[in-house]
Amino acid sequence: MMTTHHPIVAEYLHRLHEETADLPVEERAELVSSIAEHITTALAEITDPQEADIQAVLDRLGPPAAIATEARRQSSGAPVTRTRPGALEWGGVAMLGVGSYLLPIIGTAAGLVMIALSPWWTARQKLAAAAISLTGLVLVPLVGMGLFLVSSSTYQEQSPVPIESVFSPSHRP
Amino acid sequence: MLALLSSGERYGVELVRALADVDGMEITEGTLYPLLSRLRRDGQVTTSWQESPSGPPRRYYGLSNVGRQALHEFRDEWIRYRDAVDKLLGTAGAAS
């Protein structure tokens, strides 16, 4: 009955507990308890289970890391940490960076969509990315337009010089 | 998973053994518990504790109405998909 107290079972459950540290608390507890229950039930079906029987039950369950990976895949909450960024993350950043220059509005929008789809960033970080890039998208043409207006107005300031004065003898050296 | 439950409630060990033994599916028993857990959160699977003739009480898994509906839809979709592939490969009615 006390099969979950056997050292190899305890070690197995401990490893599963460690591997699922990034799961939502309730899901983690449910997973570990259902695996513990599975071991207890499976061993209750064997009369006088030996260590080899216990090991066989654990082998059929598979490595704790594999269970943890599947649990993350099926989890309702986004994982707290990921090992490294994938194509979606690099693609999103590249689109925002380079794509925004090559295809101003489409590139920026594609980058923001990729970043929004990725579980890598928090909602706040995604909003910040959207705010910064959209501000840039609006600001760059505004600054450009401003510079154009400033330069054209300085040009206009020079032009009202009376045409006749240019040709008048007083202006000749 | 849902199909196995459609014939009645099963307890965890019995259910995951049956699934892991299906020919051609490379799965270990342990990886089925996260799936069961998600199906329960989605309301497709129900759980209940029942006394066992041998040993401790067992958690039994059963199909909810939502799960039955999902299974029904998946079956229809699968038949359409299978028929389409059979038509393309010319394997309709062929025995394996």
Side-chain angles (χ1 to χ4, degrees):
Chain A
M1 218 352 260
M2 287 288 127
T3 42
T4 50
H5 289 235
H6 190 284
I8 57 171
V9 175
E11 165 66 18
Y12 184 91
L13 291 175
H14 176 71
R15 272 174 53 210
L16 182 64
H17 188 76
E18 299 280 291
E19 296 274 3
T20 50
D22 54 352
L23 278 187
V25 180
E26 284 160 31
E27 288 177 27
R28 186 190 195 187
E30 184 186 356
L31 179 65
V32 177
S33 78
S34 46
I35 297 288
E37 188 200 321
H38 173 102
I39 298 169
T40 311
T41 311
L43 289 174
E45 291 170 350
I46 305 167
T47 39
D48 188 25
Q50 301 301 304
E51 186 155 326
D53 299 314
I54 302 175
Q55 193 58 57
V57 167
L58 299 184
D59 287 347
R60 292 197 58 151
L61 275 172
I67 301 174
T69 303
E70 181 64 14
R72 271 189 284 278
R73 219 169 61 80
Q74 303 282 0
S75 173
S76 59
V80 179
T81 49
R82 282 279 209 87
T83 42
R84 58 194 142 98
L88 197 60
E89 287 74 29
W90 288 116
V93 172
M95 265 296 168
L96 263 195
V98 183
S100 296
Y101 284 99
L102 299 180
L103 288 165
I105 290 155
I106 302 165
T108 314
L112 286 177
V113 167
M114 289 170 93
I115 282 172
L117 287 175
S118 164
W120 184 265
W121 292 285
T122 63
R124 183 178 285 197
Q125 287 171 322
K126 289 171 186 175
L127 273 178
I132 292 168
S133 49
L134 291 179
T135 310
L137 209 62
V138 174
L139 231 81
V140 168
L142 274 183
V143 170
M145 205 186 287
L147 283 175
F148 173 75
L149 286 176
V150 169
S151 64
S152 59
S153 64
T154 49
Y155 173 76
Q156 276 176 356
E157 273 168 27
Q158 289 167 345
S159 63
V161 176
I163 294 293
E164 58 274 27
S165 69
V166 177
F167 294 103
S168 66
S170 62
H171 273 255
R172 300 202 177 228
Chain B
M1 180 75 83
L2 295 177
L4 272 180
L5 289 172
S6 66
S7 56
E9 289 189 322
R10 290 177 185 235
Y11 63 98
V13 174
E14 182 188 28
L15 180 61
V16 300
R17 287 244 159 109
L19 261 176
D21 285 343
V22 174
D23 192 28
M25 286 174 97
E26 294 274 326
I27 43 176
T28 50
E29 293 170 359
T31 56
L32 291 164
Y33 283 98
L35 172 62
L36 268 176
S37 164
R38 183 178 64 77
L39 290 172
R40 191 191 57 75
R41 286 199 302 276
D42 291 351
Q44 301 193 11
V45 159
T46 56
T47 55
S48 60
W49 288 94
Q50 289 175 29
E51 289 298 325
S52 141
S54 62
R58 297 158 172 172
R59 197 186 331 227
Y60 273 75
Y61 297 88
L63 213 54
S64 71
N65 287 334
V66 177
R68 212 171 292 280
Q69 181 63 30
L71 176 63
H72 196 75
E73 281 165 15
F74 178 77
R75 277 200 170 125
D76 289 349
E77 209 170 286
W78 174 253
I79 290 169
R80 273 200 300 277
Y81 176 74
R82 186 198 60 195
D83 289 351
V85 174
D86 275 344
K87 214 170 173 182
L88 281 170
L89 295 180
T91 49
S96 56

